[in-house]
Amino acid sequence: AKAIYRPCLNLMENIFSFSDKDVFLVTGGTGGLGQIIINDLQKKHGAKFISIGSSYKETRKIGDNLYQIHCDICNKEELSLVLKKAEAEMGLITGVFHAATQSTFEFIDDIDCEKDFLINSPKINGVNNLLSYFQNSKLNFFINFSSRTSSIPTIGQSIYITENCYLNNLPFASNLDKYNFTIQTLQLPRINDVGLANNLTIDEKDL
């Protein structure tokens, strides 16, 4: 994962300036990619982090540089409340790394139609809630992490592909001056130790 992510980090460092004054929001903070972002940028730049993950057992501050939040980013009201509290504690957020995803890997014939996976998707409803919260903010950047499967589809990942296609088109919104900050989406290849691939069996990883 680090071999894939670090060239992306170098690219971001060439475009945006990072410093110890920054407060970054990382969604999907309990996942492998979120952890790499936090560890690398904290060590290199001394930045502060607000990390959101539905898998966190509780909301807590760890030292001076990390504030962990247990929250479902698809819940707009809850998200707004916890972010306001976190910013009061850590300072105003200057940049967003949106790495949250859902661990749904089902063939379309097996999907329960009673569950609306797209409405409850961190990559669709979640990102919309985040953009709504930061609508009038002057972030340095808002970076989404998408997957190359949206360009090179994989059997059984129609939901995942749809989610990532949505993220791929978000930069056009910032180009239309809808937001006061730049939106970028990075398409990453499959990384075996993070994201959906981390939840697959060996046979599924070889599909």
Side-chain angles (χ1 to χ4, degrees):
K2 292 181 180 180
I4 297 292
Y5 164 72
R6 281 188 172 137
C8 296
L9 174 60
N10 293 335
L11 175 63
M12 288 184 279
E13 287 176 315
N14 289 333
I15 300 174
F16 310 108
S17 59
F18 298 154
S19 76
D20 59 359
K21 305 297 184 183
D22 281 312
V23 179
F24 295 131
L25 172 66
V26 178
T27 68
T30 56
L33 184 56
Q35 289 295 314
I36 292 171
I37 292 170
I38 293 171
N39 292 337
D40 278 15
L41 291 184
Q42 205 290 313
K43 289 177 181 177
K44 194 168 183 180
H45 300 283
K48 294 181 180 180
F49 288 89
I50 298 170
S51 176
I52 292 183
S54 58
S55 297
Y56 284 130
K57 294 182 179 180
E58 59 182 350
T59 295
R60 60 175 181 162
K61 185 178 180 182
I62 302 177
D64 295 326
N65 295 320
L66 180 60
Y67 192 94
Q68 291 182 342
I69 300 175
H70 169 76
C71 176
D72 177 6
I73 65 172
C74 292
N75 185 322
K76 187 175 183 178
E77 292 183 0
E78 179 186 6
L79 178 65
S80 179
L81 288 174
V82 298
L83 286 180
K84 286 178 181 178
K85 183 177 179 180
E87 287 192 297
E89 185 75 28
M90 302 294 285
L92 293 179
I93 293 168
T94 58
V96 175
F97 295 95
H98 180 45
T101 188
Q102 59 183 349
S103 57
T104 301
F105 185 83
E106 299 183 65
F107 289 101
I108 196 166
D109 289 344
D110 299 327
I111 293 176
D112 183 352
C113 294
E114 296 297 320
K115 298 178 182 179
D116 196 329
F117 288 107
L118 297 183
I119 291 296
N120 295 308
S121 163
K123 288 180 179 283
I124 296 181
N125 195 32
V127 75
N128 286 341
N129 291 341
L130 289 168
L131 290 172
S132 176
Y133 180 83
F134 292 110
Q135 177 85 45
N136 299 314
S137 300
K138 292 186 178 180
L139 300 174
N140 293 330
F141 57 81
F142 191 111
I143 296 176
N144 300 291
F145 291 93
S146 175
S147 171
R148 200 168 61 184
T149 58
S150 57
S151 301
I152 308 174
T154 303
I155 294 174
Q157 293 192 358
S158 56
I159 291 175
Y160 188 60
I161 291 167
T162 301
E163 294 174 317
N164 286 297
C165 285
Y166 186 82
L167 292 182
N168 293 345
N169 284 281
L170 280 179
F172 294 107
S174 63
N175 291 337
L176 296 174
D177 296 326
K178 186 176 181 179
Y179 301 100
N180 298 318
F181 47 84
T182 298
I183 300 174
Q184 298 289 341
T185 298
L186 302 179
Q187 288 190 44
L188 301 180
R190 173 177 288 178
I191 306 173
N192 285 337
D193 51 345
V194 303
L196 277 180
N198 193 42
N199 298 321
L200 304 182
T201 66
I202 293 175
D203 289 341
E204 288 172 328
K205 287 180 181 179
D206 292 334
L207 283 175

